[in-house]
Amino acid sequence: MIYFDNSATTQAAPTVLDTYTKVSQQVWGNPSSLHNFGESAYQLLEQSRQQIADLLNVKAREIFFTSGGTEGDNWVLKGTAMEKRTFGKHLITTAVEHPAIHNSMEQLKELGFDVTYLPVDQEGRISIDDLKAAIRPDTILVSVMAVNNEIGTIQPLQAVADVLKDYPKIHFHIDAVQGIGKGIQKLIMNDRVDFVTFSGHKFHATRGVGFIYARTGRKLAPLMAGGGQENNWRSGTENLPAIAGMAKALRLLLTDEDQKVARERAVKQRIYDHIKDFAKVDIFSRPTDGFAPHILCFTINGVRGETIVHAFEDQGIYISTTSACSSKKHMASSTLMAMHTPEAVATSAVRISLDENNTLAEADEFNQIFDKLYQRFSKINADA
């Protein structure tokens, strides 16, 4: 099996699973309990928080645990809206965000908030001039993803940060779910960002756990009311085994990060160089610094994306149709549609997404199978 669908989810690392199991079996007290068993759980919880904070060069009190990226995005957007609604009801995001952002914004519109969706260019990237023009006196939030989950575009995060330095009251949020461990941590954790969303299962932790970074001094209204965990910001008994495992996964991810990114980029380049000259192939992810090293989105024009996915699956190679969240709904890529790509092309889009364990040998095998499938699809289209 060759697994090229790491943007959908990664395989939990064996040592992460080992940590998860040991904590489940040995430290299963509630961190909120007063007895020694609860205190042991609390200490492990705080050790995990400190480890994550140290890896990101932030304060431990700025890390808040969640159930994953979707909750984190919902919390920052809706928590900002609730916290700052007396100061304004205008929010800004991009036209190519993950559904966790887009659909949250649409819900806020139904509650009377005004949302501006910034358009993107032919590489899926926003214009800083458009951002400047969109800001209003009642703007309370700007939310921009670090890396597009469908085609891998890296947004101009530092340029956004530079603009927002002149607007200190506006919350600046980055969805970094696809960006962590991809060599752009300085862009993500820039000197102006207020909130950042992370999801554990995107970097070899287990599912159902994540965290947000929240800059000291910024406030969010809680979405989860209850026992007052996470400093009264996010109630609910913490998922300690998953949190401890996630802290280990993040440490492993960021160890030798440059070498891992280089391996991913080399695999992407090998595939890109092979498929780029085929007549019916369009590629939307460039092998340049403006794109993440691990995502390659392409089409075989005239063949639907799900057909391509299943054809590769039959050969033991697992890829996806752009976003995993929309793949079973047979939806065209929302990013490509926002880039004004013809719908017939957008419905053909598929995504390869790599991690540090993928190899050049796997890329070569993919290329060989690609040749066979391309010939098959060409013959079918010619006979149709």
Side-chain angles (χ1 to χ4, degrees):
M1 182 185 77
I2 295 176
Y3 185 74
F4 281 173
D5 196 19
N6 290 280
S7 286
T9 195
T10 58
Q11 182 181 22
T15 55
V16 171
L17 290 176
D18 184 54
T19 295
Y20 184 97
T21 300
K22 287 182 177 178
V23 174
S24 297
Q25 293 175 338
Q26 299 174 15
V27 196
W28 43 268
N30 189 321
S32 297
S33 296
L34 292 177
H35 48 63
N36 288 338
F37 204 40
E39 180 63 20
S40 296
Y42 175 78
Q43 291 300 324
L44 180 57
L45 177 69
E46 295 310 306
Q47 289 171 16
S48 300
R49 194 188 312 276
Q50 186 67 60
Q51 180 174 348
I52 290 172
D54 290 344
L55 290 166
L56 297 180
N57 296 312
V58 300
K59 303 178 183 69
R61 65 176 181 271
E62 296 175 318
I63 300 299
F64 296 85
F65 296 117
T66 69
S67 63
T70 295
E71 183 192 334
D73 285 342
N74 273 257
W75 182 14
V76 174
L77 269 57
K78 296 172 184 177
T80 291
M82 294 169 63
E83 182 68 31
K84 296 178 70 69
R85 63 189 183 277
T86 58
F87 300 98
K89 291 191 174 184
H90 180 232
L91 308 101
I92 299 173
T93 190
T94 82
V96 293
E97 296 295 312
H98 187 275
I101 295 290
H102 178 83
N103 292 343
S104 293
M105 288 292 193
E106 289 298 296
Q107 285 185 318
L108 289 169
K109 284 172 65 175
E110 294 177 0
L111 296 174
F113 289 85
D114 191 10
V115 178
T116 296
Y117 293 101
L118 299 175
V120 295
D121 62 18
Q122 288 303 301
E123 289 190 343
R125 193 169 290 109
I126 63 169
S127 159
I128 294 301
D129 288 338
D130 287 343
L131 171 63
K132 292 178 180 178
I135 295 174
R136 306 184 332 203
D138 62 336
T139 302
I140 58 174
L141 172 72
V142 173
S143 179
V144 179
M145 66 185 352
V147 171
N148 181 265
N149 56 300
E150 296 187 342
I151 69 171
T153 306
I154 299 173
Q155 294 296 344
L157 302 177
Q158 187 58 57
V160 174
D162 291 341
V163 170
L164 293 180
K165 288 176 184 177
D166 293 332
Y167 301 91
K169 295 183 180 180
I170 296 176
H171 281 184
F172 178 24
H173 168 242
I174 292 176
D175 178 342
V177 167
Q178 293 291 343
I180 187 66
K182 304 307 176 184
I184 59 170
Q185 185 168 312
K186 289 184 179 179
L187 293 177
I188 294 170
M189 305 304 298
N190 62 72
D191 58 357
R192 173 59 180 84
V193 71
D194 299 307
F195 301 98
V196 187
T197 302
F198 300 90
S199 180
H201 78 104
K202 304 297 188 180
F203 53 87
H204 303 292
T206 55
R207 300 175 195 183
V209 67
F211 65 95
I212 69 165
Y213 159 77
R215 180 186 294 278
T216 300
R218 292 300 203 186
K219 293 183 179 180
L220 284 180
L223 292 189
M224 308 288 282
Q229 289 86 353
E230 296 300 288
N231 198 30
N232 291 312
W233 276 40
R234 196 273 188 185
S235 292
T237 301
E238 296 92 348
N239 186 355
L240 184 58
I243 289 169
M246 179 172 62
K248 174 174 281 190
L250 187 61
R251 177 176 59 80
L252 295 173
L253 176 76
L254 298 181
T255 299
D256 299 325
E257 180 183 5
D258 291 345
Q259 292 92 320
K260 293 171 182 175
V261 168
R263 286 200 295 272
E264 292 173 354
R265 198 174 295 281
V267 174
K268 175 181 175 178
Q269 186 76 53
R270 182 73 64 93
I271 297 172
Y272 178 92
D273 288 342
H274 183 79
I275 69 175
K276 65 182 175 64
D277 294 325
F278 284 79
K280 294 184 179 180
V281 171
D282 286 327
I283 305 178
F284 298 97
S285 310
R286 308 302 175 199
T288 63
D289 291 341
F291 288 84
H294 65 300
I295 294 177
L296 180 61
C297 177
F298 68 91
T299 66
I300 301 176
N301 293 326
V303 186
R304 291 189 64 86
E306 58 265 27
T307 301
I308 300 172
V309 168
H310 289 309
F312 275 102
E313 181 184 6
D314 290 342
Q315 302 297 317
I317 298 178
Y318 292 86
I319 62 176
S320 68
T321 54
T322 59
S323 171
C325 295
S326 61
S327 60
K328 288 190 175 181
K329 301 175 184 176
H330 306 296
M331 297 167 59
S333 163
S334 59
T335 298
L336 295 184
M337 295 299 290
M339 292 162 52
H340 304 292
T341 304
E343 185 171 358
V345 176
T347 55
S348 296
V350 294
R351 178 189 68 187
I352 293 169
S353 49
L354 310 167
D355 76 358
E356 67 276 13
N357 298 312
N358 292 125
T359 65
L360 290 174
E362 291 178 331
D364 291 337
E365 183 172 347
F366 174 91
N367 290 337
Q368 292 174 9
I369 291 174
F370 178 90
D371 292 350
K372 297 176 183 178
L373 295 180
Y374 186 88
Q375 292 177 3
R376 182 197 305 174
F377 292 140
S378 297
K379 185 178 186 304
I380 292 172
N381 288 339
D383 295 340

